Each structure stands twice: as structure tokens, then as C-alpha cells.
Amino acid sequence: MLSKRQILLGNEAIARGIVESGCAVATAYPGTPSSEILPAVAAYADELGTKTAVEWGINEKVAFEVAVAASFAGQRACAVMKQVGMNVAADGIMSVAQFDMAGGFLLVVADDPGPHSSQTEQDTRFFSMFAKLPCFDPSSAEEAKRMVFDAFDLSERHRIIAVLRPSVRVDHCRQDVELGDVLDVPNRAEFKKDPKRWVCLPAHVRLSHPRLNAKIDAIAEEFESAFDSYNYEVPASSKPKLAVIAGGVSFSIVMDILKAMGRTDVAVLKIGTPFPLPVRKVEDFIARHDNVLMLEETYPVMEMQLPDRTKIKGRWNGFVPRAGELLPEIIEGLLCRALGEERPSRSDEALKAALQELKVTPKPPALCPGCPHRASYFAIHKALPAAIHPSDIGCYTLGINQKMVDSVICMGASVSQGSGFFLAHHVDGKEQPVVSAIGDSTFFHMGVPGLINAVYNRHAFVLAILDNRLTAMTGGQSHPGIGEKLRKGDEGVAVDIVSLIKGCGVRHVEVIPAYDVTAGAQAVRKAWQFARENRTPSVVVFRHPCMLLRPRQDRISVTVDREKCVGCRYCITNFNCPGLVFDDEAGKARIDERFCVSCGVCRFVCPHGAIVAVGGEEA
Amino acid sequence: MQYVIVGLGGQGILFSSKVLGQIALSRGERVLGSEVHGMAQRGGSVISHFKIGSYHSPLVRAGEADLLLAFEQGEGFRNLHFLRDGGMLVVNVHQKEALENERLRSYLDSRRIGVRAIEGYEILKKEMGGRFLFLNVLILGALSATVEGGVSYDEVKQAVAELSPERFRTENLKVLALGHEALQG
């Protein structure tokens, strides 16, 4: 029996739990902060020699549906996604919530309070309540791993999907965690045909919905008493001045602050199962205290389940900010305010003044030096400076630094927005160039339906597919365009993106090397001409591997010719590379060799020819 | 012991918390830290928290860090509020005259914050042909030369050797020694 501690990322701890639980099918679509879970499932499955099928789905809906059918067949299965991915998968989740599952099913959904890398800071615990699914909310990596086992077990006993909601601070914490062996679960694939059970006809729902209510009631009872390792009280050792109810990482933060402050007069109730809330347990705690603070991220989900909220200082009445991450500094302030005490002063005015004098400001995220997207955006700008630019979810959202991103909604929406911008102008009899930008993985995820829709309805715009050969923003995962799979020995098949585009009915497609900005600009002009003449979408695929892949490519060292540079900042505004900066004192651009990767693309950017190869242009 | 590690995405900050973790684990201590992944990681400001000892939360509260390890001086200055009074900043500088700024000096003095600066880019330009990807290991070398860093050179050396990919191991150990020497004495 293997038993040792190892430092794991929270996501690796969850993955380890999934493999040790005997999960047979695990699927996901990458999305921060969940992305590291599935590759770690594959690695542990390889290491422990399990048969687990581990696959990236084309999107979260597909990933969920693949895994959930494995559960119908009796296997333990799980699907992993980020919180906005759950929106994509919601259609399937809402239906299956009412099913009487066969194999245990774990839905891992990672939340991003802040948010750090998301377009919303929605709360999966709230979504679980909406779907009437039990939800576990871990406070640490170690607890998240334990919860995986209990979630599978609860799921199997009550024949219901169990949700594990780690938030970003659990996903991306690093902690020493105990490793174990793989459980011997008896599950085998054995699908029992039963239309009443597996077909969501309205007639069946009339039975399954009340059954779901009964399941949730029974689980609520269990959460009242049988899950004391997740729901427990840390009593005050002297007469309590304050009682705190907290879940998730907020609980961990409170515990550290109380210890650092040396407080013995604050009682804490930790809740690890926020839905269905063990209401009696919480009410009993509230009844024993006068001053109650409730800390949860990000919606008042536990609070909303309490019939009487009059005593509670929480997110509902705005005592706790109604948005944003509960960072230690914020929680410290809330604890002091709830205790009616002055917060220890920590004036950083002197530091602020120094930072101002030194011109130190936070650096926002930017495309990497050498990133092909920067070159593609520059080519699009050159071709059609007056175009509208809907963009999408991925690294290339950072094209906003080049003023090349006008609107972003969600995965795949750049394509459908292209249609909407076309129609808005078309009904006025106007012709407006529109160039939508989408990454290769995002195109496969949800861009394809929008493109078929645009062909069918005859919408004239250009779709630029920025094909960097992987899912970059989330750390470089594979996708159908590449065809690589996660488990050792698994072989996939690559789906050719150009054939797919043509199959959608697109009549004009051109593939361009992204670094060739002259050819890129020409291709965009040609594509727009075809689109408007034929009233149809056309596509330009800009291709170059992502810098994360460390591609072997020519190194072209560049320098700024100080004689030729007129200080117009054109390169800074329109190209915006970390390796190319403006020297305020000299009033000229210069190369910052700390960041420049010698891709050489900026040679084609300066309208005055001031950016040149070191030692002159090669033959 | 609470560390805050700051820099820009892509500078290899995650490796340094891995090294600290490896050291703590080999000493039999508990570790807890927080990292940045995803969009926030792309070239912009990033911050890692790392705690060795008995803690619940992976985050370091402002005013509590014992040591601030900064891969970039601007990021180091911006995050000084994380340090406790009497804490230590170990920082890679590329414009060291900023350290002479009077307002900055008086802030550091008023909070008794110590500063150990290494001119990382200069060293890597001179010794490693300008391969700046070694910056993370260089800074770990500098950290190991600082008493307040809480880790010895031998411990860091062993952890770096264990965690380095085979093809970088020899060079990593060379750079580690460079960082250590730069701040010794």
C-alpha cells in the first residue's frame, strides 16, 4: 500500500481523488482555473495503471454528455469544467439532474471569484441550487481530494449528480497531500434499458421531479449529521464576541487571521456542504450567538437558504461586499468591523507616493513576445482600418492592447456577432467591413454553429481564425485540430480545419502564415471583397505555432534606427509588443532585449522603416 | 515563514515556489501556497504566495510576509505592503538608481525593511549569453545567500537539482551558484 505525502496543486489533488475513486470515464474542456485537473487525471491513471478513459471534449456540453452516458451504463464518471463552462453544459445538466443515475457521477466546476481569468464571477453553488444538485465546497486541496470520494459515494447512494465546487484559491493552491491507492469499485458497463429512466419525456418528468425533491430532502438530512468532517464548529475558548459562518477558502482565511491576531473570542462554523444547507445546524449556531458574520464566495447562497436572516451580517444586506473575491485584507476589515473594533492601521501613503515618483504601475496581461496573434491583428488592421472587430475568448482577447478587439461575449460569439453587425448595417443599406477573430480551439468549441448560420443566412463579414495549434490561454491543451490525446498510447485523429470550414458552406478560405503581415493584409482585403460581392462569410486562417510550444524558427535580431525613428508611437499603439518599448527621455522606440524573442515581425510595422534587422536585411 | 513572490508572467515564478515546497517537504514541514494560472499569467503582473508551517489559507495577508522575492523591481516595490515590519525584499533590479529614491528609502526605513538587490540581467548577459530564462534560478541563488530567506544554499541546490529537467540541470546549478555568489558577503 502506497502511502506518502506529496506537494500537489489543488487541481492535482482533485485529479488524484478522481483516479483513486475508480472513475472509469473522465472528460473536460480546459478553462482556468480548472484546466490542470484532466491532464493530471491522465498522468495518475497512467501511473496507477487504471483503465480510465480520459478525454478533452470539444466543449463542456459535449464533455458532460459523453461522461454522463458512461454513468447511465453503470460506470463511475466525471466531467470537469470552469464556471462559465457550466453555462455551456447547462442544457444537459438540468435534464440529467432529474435522472436516477446508475454509476456515480461527479461534476467538478471551478469558480473564479475576482475574477482572475473569466468573464463572470458566478457561483456554482447557486447553479447547484438551481439544478437541485448537492454541492461540496472545499476549503483546501487536501479537503477537495477527500470530498471527491464522498461525492462519488453520495452520488451512487442517491443516484444523483454530485457537484464539487473548488474556487480558484483551492484549484491553484499548492499543499502537501496524502496519496492513496485505487479503490476497488464493483462498477462494470451494463446498461439496463429503461425508457422511463433514461428518456426525459414530459410524462417522465412529472415523476422524476418530485423524486428529485425527495432526494435533496434526504441529502439535506445527511448533511445535518453525517458529514461532520466538512461541517463543524470551532468554538471560542472565551466568551464569544462574534460568530462567523464560513465556507470554502474564506474559512481558511478566517482561521489564519484569528490565529495571527491571537483571538479566542470568535466562534467559527465551517460549512463544506452549502447546498442543501444543513439548516438546523446553522440555525442552532446562530441561536447561540448575538453577532453573526457570514462569509461565502460569491453569492449569498447559504444565507438565502435561511428562513430568518435578521441576525446575519453578510452579502445579502451588503455588510460583506456583494461582489468580488474575499481576500485576507477584506476579511480582516470585516472581522474588525463586525467586532466593532478599529482595524490596526497600516498606512501605505508613503509607499504610494514613492511608486508615483518612480512611475511604477501594475502591468496588465499582454500577448507574449513573438505571439502570432499580434502579427495577425496587425495585418487585419492594415487591410481594413475602419472595420468592426468582434473577438472571442482566448489569449487573443488581449488584442485589446492593439485596439483590435471591439466586443467579446463568450466562447464562439465572435462569429455570431459578425452576423449581427452585418445585419445592423445592412438594414440601413450600409456596407460596413467586419472582421471577427477567433482561435482554433474556440472555433471548434462553439464557433462552427455560428459559421453555418452565417452561410445559411448570407451574412457578409470576414472570419479570421487565429490557428496557433493548441488551446493557448489555459496552458496549451490539445484539440480536434491537432488530434493528440491525453493518455499514453491513445491516438486521436486530427480534424482538418479548412475542410471543416468548407463543409460549413464557406466558399472563400485562405490559409496564411501569420508572421507574413503583407500576405495577411492582402488576404483580408481579398476575403472582404469576396464576402461583400457574394453576400457570404469568408475565412482567413492565420497559422503559426504558439510561443508556448517554443517553435523552432529563424531568429532575426532587430534594432531601432534612431535616425529614422520619428517618435510617432505607431509601433507601440498598433503592434504593442513587450519587446518594443518607448523611451520617453529619447522620444524614440527601442528594443527591450529582456523580452524580445527576435521573431522579426516588427520590421514590417514601422511606417518609416526604422525597425531593422541587426547587421542589415538578410538576402 | 511566509513568502510572497512577484514578477511578470513568463518569468518562471512557479518554479521558485516548487523549489521552496520541495525544501520544506524534505524538512518534514507543512506547506501551503497560491499560484496564478490563465489569462492573469500572460506577461502581466503575477503574484505567488507561499507559507511553510501550520496554516489554513494559501494566501499571505498584507503586512504578514517575512520575505518578498521580486523578479522585477517595479513589481517588488508595488508589493512592499505585503511585508511585515522588519521583513526583507530580495529583488532583481535593472535600474538600480530607483533604490536611491528618497521617498522609497524613507518608507523602507520607517518599516525597517531590508533590501538585497541583484542585477540579474547584467549577470545573465555576461555569464549566460543573455539567456534570461535562467532568471528564476539566479534569484533563488540570491535568496539562498540571504539569512532572512530561511533556506540554505545546499538545500536550494539539492531541490533545484531534483526539480530541473535533465537538459537544464548543469546550467541551472551553474546559474544558482552565480546568484549565490552575487549576494554573498
Side-chain angles (χ1 to χ4, degrees):
Chain A
M1 165 77 195
L2 173 85
S3 173
K4 55 172 187 168
R5 299 191 81 79
Q6 217 176 63
I7 300 178
L8 301 185
L9 201 61
N11 279 342
E12 293 167 345
I14 292 168
R16 182 79 193 192
I18 289 168
V19 176
E20 288 180 15
S21 294
C23 178
V25 177
T27 63
Y29 182 81
T32 312
S34 72
S35 312
E36 299 81 11
I37 297 176
L38 201 71
V41 169
Y44 289 131
D46 286 340
E47 186 186 316
L48 296 170
T50 68
K51 289 181 185 165
T52 323
V54 187
E55 295 188 352
W56 290 123
I58 193 169
N59 62 37
E60 293 86 352
K61 182 174 186 287
V62 169
F64 170 78
E65 292 155 357
V66 168
V68 93
S71 158
F72 296 173
Q75 298 281 20
R76 284 194 163 187
C78 83
V80 182
M81 58 198 66
K82 69 182 292 185
Q83 90 285 32
V84 289
M86 194 181 193
N87 301 338
V88 176
D91 205 359
I93 294 169
M94 294 305 290
S95 289
V96 179
Q98 306 178 78
F99 282 22
D100 226 10
M101 306 293 280
F105 190 84
L106 174 68
L107 180 62
V108 182
V109 186
D111 278 358
D112 186 13
H116 298 263
S117 285
S118 302
Q119 60 269 40
T120 74
E121 54 173 0
Q122 65 190 69
D123 190 330
T124 294
R125 302 171 311 148
F126 202 31
F127 213 128
S128 302
M129 186 154 99
F130 175 44
K132 301 190 179 179
L133 294 174
C135 181
F136 293 84
D137 183 16
S139 296
S140 67
E142 180 274 330
E143 189 179 51
K145 179 171 182 262
R146 275 195 287 134
M147 282 178 168
V148 169
F149 295 93
D150 284 312
F152 269 117
D153 178 64
L154 186 85
S155 166
E156 236 154 49
R157 284 190 291 108
H158 292 274
R159 302 180 166 202
I160 191 170
I161 295 173
V163 181
L164 177 72
R165 184 294 289 247
S167 70
V168 59
R169 299 298 182 181
V170 170
D171 292 304
H172 292 159
C173 81
R174 209 167 261 288
Q175 187 181 19
D176 52 309
V177 174
E178 177 100 26
L179 305 184
D181 264 342
V182 182
L183 291 182
D184 191 13
V185 296
N187 304 39
R188 298 286 174 269
E190 196 180 16
F191 180 62
K192 295 194 181 81
K193 293 193 183 192
D194 181 357
K196 274 207 179 89
R197 191 172 176 187
W198 307 120
V199 181
C200 62
L201 281 177
H204 300 161
V205 174
R206 273 170 225 134
L207 302 172
S208 61
H209 190 186
R211 188 180 61 205
L212 173 60
N213 290 337
K215 286 180 188 176
I216 276 294
D217 289 348
I219 292 170
E221 272 312 309
E222 271 195 42
F223 283 173
E224 288 285 353
S225 56
F227 285 82
D228 287 351
S229 71
Y230 303 140
N231 304 325
Y232 57 86
E233 199 172 323
V234 185
S237 52
S238 56
K239 189 175 158 32
K241 278 194 191 148
L242 176 67
V244 181
I245 302 167
V249 84
S250 299
F251 164 78
S252 305
I253 293 171
V254 167
M255 295 305 289
D256 276 359
I257 294 178
L258 293 178
K259 190 176 171 194
M261 285 176 156
R263 305 282 319 203
T264 55
D265 55 357
V266 179
V268 182
L269 175 65
K270 177 195 175 297
I271 296 293
T273 60
F275 182 80
L277 186 72
V279 174
R280 290 200 305 279
K281 197 178 195 100
V282 177
E283 281 180 334
D284 168 69
F285 182 74
I286 293 170
R288 287 184 279 118
H289 300 93
D290 300 321
N291 188 14
V292 183
L293 175 67
M294 200 154 197
L295 298 171
E296 51 184 328
E297 285 181 327
T298 49
Y299 292 11
V301 174
M302 296 197 287
E303 214 173 333
M304 283 169 68
Q305 294 175 75
L306 293 170
D308 180 2
R309 292 187 284 266
T310 46
K311 256 197 214 175
I312 295 173
K313 299 176 164 87
R315 290 217 187 223
W316 186 269
N317 60 13
F319 185 94
V320 177
R322 293 169 69 197
E325 185 178 14
L326 293 179
L327 291 165
E329 298 75 33
I330 292 172
I331 291 183
E332 181 192 18
L334 291 168
L335 286 169
C336 292
R337 196 147 66 88
L339 282 159
E341 294 171 8
E342 281 279 308
R343 185 180 184 171
S345 78
R346 197 185 296 122
S347 171
D348 292 319
E349 290 309 313
L351 177 59
K352 275 186 197 145
L355 294 178
Q356 214 160 26
E357 225 170 79
L358 290 166
K359 293 186 183 148
V360 172
T361 48
K363 204 165 172 258
L367 294 172
C368 302
C371 175
H373 299 336
R374 179 180 292 107
S376 308
Y377 273 132
F378 183 75
I380 296 166
H381 169 74
K382 286 277 276 187
L384 299 167
I388 296 174
H389 302 288
S391 189
D392 225 298
I393 307 289
C395 283
Y396 44 89
T397 316
L398 297 172
I400 196 164
N401 299 336
Q402 284 168 273
K403 304 191 177 11
M404 289 298 287
V405 173
D406 294 326
S407 64
V408 172
I409 310 173
C410 61
M411 295 288 284
S414 60
V415 189
S416 9
Q417 288 176 88
S419 294
F421 283 119
F422 162 77
L423 287 175
H425 293 86
H426 183 70
V427 294
D428 281 357
K430 284 185 199 153
E431 203 170 64
Q432 166 65 45
V434 176
V435 184
S436 296
I438 191 168
D440 43 349
S441 185
T442 308
F443 178 66
F444 282 111
H445 177 285
M446 202 56 99
V448 175
L451 188 56
I452 297 171
N453 181 66
V455 169
Y456 158 52
N457 286 302
R458 301 193 63 191
H459 300 146
F461 63 95
V462 179
L463 176 63
I465 298 183
L466 311 179
D467 183 0
N468 60 355
R469 315 304 293 156
L470 84 171
T471 315
M473 177 61 88
T474 47
Q477 294 77 11
S478 185
H479 63 67
I482 315 301
E484 279 167 18
K485 294 190 69 176
L486 278 168
R487 282 212 65 179
K488 265 187 202 140
D490 263 6
E491 272 181 50
V493 167
V495 175
D496 177 48
I497 205 163
V498 173
S499 310
L500 173 63
I501 294 161
K502 287 183 179 161
C504 291
V506 174
R507 286 179 286 147
H508 180 96
V509 193
E510 198 171 345
V511 182
I512 294 291
Y515 273 9
D516 190 343
V517 294
T518 313
Q522 205 176 1
V524 172
R525 272 191 291 264
K526 239 168 68 191
W528 170 238
Q529 193 184 349
F530 186 90
R532 101 194 137 96
E533 283 173 7
N534 298 284
R535 227 189 114 187
T536 187
S538 55
V539 177
V540 180
V541 179
F542 289 91
R543 194 167 277 167
H544 190 95
C546 173
M547 289 295 110
L548 292 178
L549 294 169
R550 299 189 186 278
R552 285 177 186 275
Q553 58 189 42
D554 294 342
R555 284 180 63 88
I556 302 161
S557 294
V558 289
T559 185
V560 176
D561 182 334
R562 294 239 155 178
E563 299 294 308
K564 287 187 184 162
C565 177
V566 299
C568 66
R569 290 176 161 270
Y570 178 85
C571 57
I572 307 292
T573 310
N574 295 294
F575 200 59
N576 198 267
C577 179
L580 189 60
V581 294
F582 198 74
D583 186 336
D584 283 319
E585 268 172 42
K588 306 210 180 246
R590 69 173 171 83
I591 303 300
D592 188 339
E593 58 180 13
R594 294 181 301 152
F595 301 110
C596 177
V597 296
S598 304
C599 71
V601 175
C602 57
R603 290 174 301 158
F604 306 105
V605 169
C606 178
H608 306 282
I611 306 176
V612 292
V614 174
E617 290 297 317
E618 66 280 18
Chain B
M1 183 82 187
Q2 305 191 51
Y3 298 83
V4 170
I5 308 166
V6 298
L8 301 173
Q11 285 187 316
I13 288 178
L14 298 184
F15 184 74
S16 44
S17 49
K18 269 193 189 156
V19 168
L20 289 175
Q22 182 84 355
I23 293 169
L25 200 68
S26 66
R27 288 182 193 161
E29 292 185 280
R30 304 296 307 266
V31 302
L32 197 51
S34 175
E35 301 177 349
V36 174
H37 297 256
M39 182 191 267
Q41 200 186 1
R42 284 286 162 271
S45 308
V46 291
I47 178 162
S48 275
H49 303 239
F50 200 79
K51 296 155 112 173
I52 301 178
S54 175
Y55 297 98
H56 283 88
S57 141
L59 296 178
V60 174
R61 182 161 48 112
E64 295 264 295
D66 301 289
L67 196 126
L68 176 61
L69 191 61
F71 284 51
E72 204 273 338
Q73 62 182 53
E75 295 304 312
F77 302 155
R78 251 174 21 83
N79 289 292
L80 282 167
H81 61 283
F82 274 105
L83 281 173
R84 61 171 167 80
D85 290 348
M88 170 66 80
L89 166 70
V90 176
V91 58
N92 168 42
V93 292
H94 61 281
Q95 290 166 335
K96 65 174 173 182
E97 60 280 5
L99 288 170
E100 305 307 319
N101 178 283
E102 250 173 67
R103 282 180 191 274
L104 184 67
R105 285 262 43 113
S106 80
Y107 173 80
L108 293 168
D109 291 343
S110 73
R111 297 199 52 215
R112 294 178 286 108
I113 291 172
V115 179
R116 302 295 306 273
I118 180 167
E119 290 182 90
Y121 293 113
E122 285 304 312
I123 296 172
L124 293 175
K125 225 192 284 184
K126 208 172 353 161
E127 307 282 347
M128 298 300 294
R131 289 157 74 201
F132 297 139
L133 77 142
F134 287 108
L135 189 64
N136 54 358
V137 182
L138 188 78
I139 291 178
L140 283 171
L143 177 73
S144 73
T146 313
V147 180
E148 292 83 351
V151 286
S152 73
Y153 179 61
D154 286 342
E155 283 178 312
V156 179
K157 193 173 156 186
Q158 190 178 346
V160 167
E162 281 169 25
L163 292 171
S164 295
E166 182 67 47
R167 63 198 171 104
F168 286 126
R169 188 166 298 138
T170 315
E171 285 178 312
N172 271 350
L173 292 175
K174 177 184 165 192
V175 173
L176 187 74
L178 288 171
H180 183 76
E181 284 156 21
L183 284 198
Q184 222 177 11

